[in-house]
Amino acid sequence: MDIVIKGAAVGIISAVCALLIKKSNQEIGLVIAIAASAVICIAAAELFGSISDLIRYAISKSGLSSAIFLPIIKCVGIAIIVNISASLCKDAGQAGIASAVDVLGAAAAVFTALPLIKSLIEIIGELV
C-alpha cells in the first residue's frame, strides 16, 4: 500500500511541476513526465516480482505448460508499455505518433499470442 501512495505522490507532484514548467519550457515539462513515469514503473517492477513468483507457482501446480501463460504475461507487459508510451506522446502533442505506438502494440500483442492461438487451433482440430 505504501508503494501506491508514494507512486501517486510522485505522479501528482511531477504533474504539477510539469504543468508549471511547461508554460515556459515544454521540453523540460516532458522530461519531468518521462522521469516520473520511469520512477513509478521501477516501483511497479518490484510488485511484478511477487506476481511473477505466484505465476511460476500456478504453472507448477497446474501442470500446464508455461507456453500457455507466457504469451498472456507478455501481452500484459506490452499493453502497459504501449499505454505509457502513447500517453507520453500525447502529452508531447504528438497524437499521430501515439496512434502509431498503439497500432504497434496491437500488432505486437497479436504476434506474441500466436503460439497460444496455434495451440488452440490444434486442440480444436483434435476435437473434430
Side-chain angles (χ1 to χ4, degrees):
M1 183 69 173
D2 285 343
I3 198 163
V4 174
I5 293 170
K6 290 176 184 176
V10 167
I12 291 169
I13 291 168
S14 299
V16 170
C17 289
L19 282 174
L20 292 172
I21 292 174
K22 202 173 191 179
K23 293 177 184 176
S24 62
N25 192 340
Q26 281 188 319
E27 294 82 13
I28 299 296
L30 180 61
V31 170
I32 290 171
I34 292 170
S37 296
V39 168
I40 294 168
C41 286
I42 290 169
E46 293 177 22
L47 297 176
F48 283 123
S50 298
I51 294 168
S52 176
D53 293 341
L54 177 64
I55 290 169
R56 277 191 224 109
Y57 176 76
I59 290 171
S60 69
K61 288 297 181 182
S62 69
L64 295 173
S65 169
S66 62
I68 292 174
F69 290 99
L70 196 57
I72 296 169
I73 295 165
K74 287 182 179 180
C75 285
V76 170
I78 289 168
I80 292 168
I81 291 167
V82 166
N83 189 340
I84 292 169
S85 300
S87 294
L88 287 169
C89 290
K90 287 177 187 173
D91 285 350
Q94 300 297 323
I97 296 172
S99 294
V101 170
D102 284 336
V103 170
L104 174 64
V110 171
F111 179 78
T112 302
L114 285 178
L116 187 58
I117 295 168
K118 182 180 176 186
S119 297
L120 179 63
I121 291 170
E122 289 173 0
I123 291 170
I124 291 171
E126 291 174 5
L127 294 175
V128 175

